[in-house]
Amino acid sequence: MPKVNRYVDIDTVEREAKKDYIDRHSPFVHCDATAKKGEKFAVTVKVGNEYTHPDDFDHFIANVSLWNGETLLARADFLPGTLGNQKSQVEVTFYIVPTGNTLKLVAQSYCTKHGLWESEPVTVEVTE
Ligand SMILES: [Fe+2]
């Protein structure tokens, strides 16, 4: 199993280079706090909040996946050059249809040089 790097609040990190390293690899889950059961619900995953990541042929974000607890919901794969070979933030919107009472959404992103990174979990209340 690969090592899973987890997001650390960069306000608690002193070195600028380390803030950049953590932030640019961390996926962030953006969605509403509540969803309706049986209806499409948009979940955007963006890699990097304040910092951007390279899109080089030997160093890029290769995929972003979205989990509900331990269940994989969706994954998007990227090829190098998709973001113009310039520093950017990978961003994907997944549309999911919730069936349970809550969602515990976690995103992961994979950098070809710096491995697997995981977001903080986001809990969504699902109403009838
Ligand atoms: Fe990287």
Side-chain angles (χ1 to χ4, degrees):
M1 286 290 287
K3 176 184 178 227
V4 178
N5 300 287
R6 290 196 164 75
Y7 177 71
V8 177
D9 183 350
I10 60 170
D11 289 341
T12 65
V13 176
E14 276 187 26
R15 276 177 42 233
E16 176 61 23
K18 196 168 182 203
K19 280 182 199 270
D20 184 339
Y21 178 74
I22 292 169
D23 186 285
R24 74 175 189 259
H25 286 103
S26 294
F28 293 84
V29 174
H30 301 276
C31 63
D32 291 341
T34 59
K36 279 222 163 127
K37 197 174 278 190
E39 290 185 14
K40 267 193 191 176
F41 180 66
V43 182
T44 295
V45 178
K46 192 169 164 187
V47 182
N49 187 35
E50 297 177 28
Y51 296 85
T52 53
H53 189 277
D55 179 34
D56 298 332
F57 286 100
D58 62 345
H59 182 202
F60 62 100
I61 302 295
N63 63 62
V64 170
S65 55
L66 180 66
W67 297 75
N68 180 22
E70 294 178 357
T71 304
L72 177 64
L73 298 176
R75 191 174 91 161
D77 291 302
F78 288 82
L79 296 173
T82 299
L83 296 174
N85 294 127
Q86 55 194 3
K87 288 185 105 188
S88 186
Q89 291 169 323
V90 161
E91 188 173 352
V92 183
T93 300
F94 297 104
Y95 289 89
I96 62 170
V97 178
T99 53
N101 295 323
T102 54
L103 294 166
K104 190 185 171 194
L105 299 173
V106 175
Q108 289 188 331
S109 56
Y110 181 73
C111 166
T112 56
K113 221 176 218 176
H114 302 109
L116 191 59
W117 291 74
E118 188 169 296
S119 73
E120 291 185 325
V122 172
T123 302
V124 176
E125 188 192 340
V126 181
T127 59
E128 295 287 337

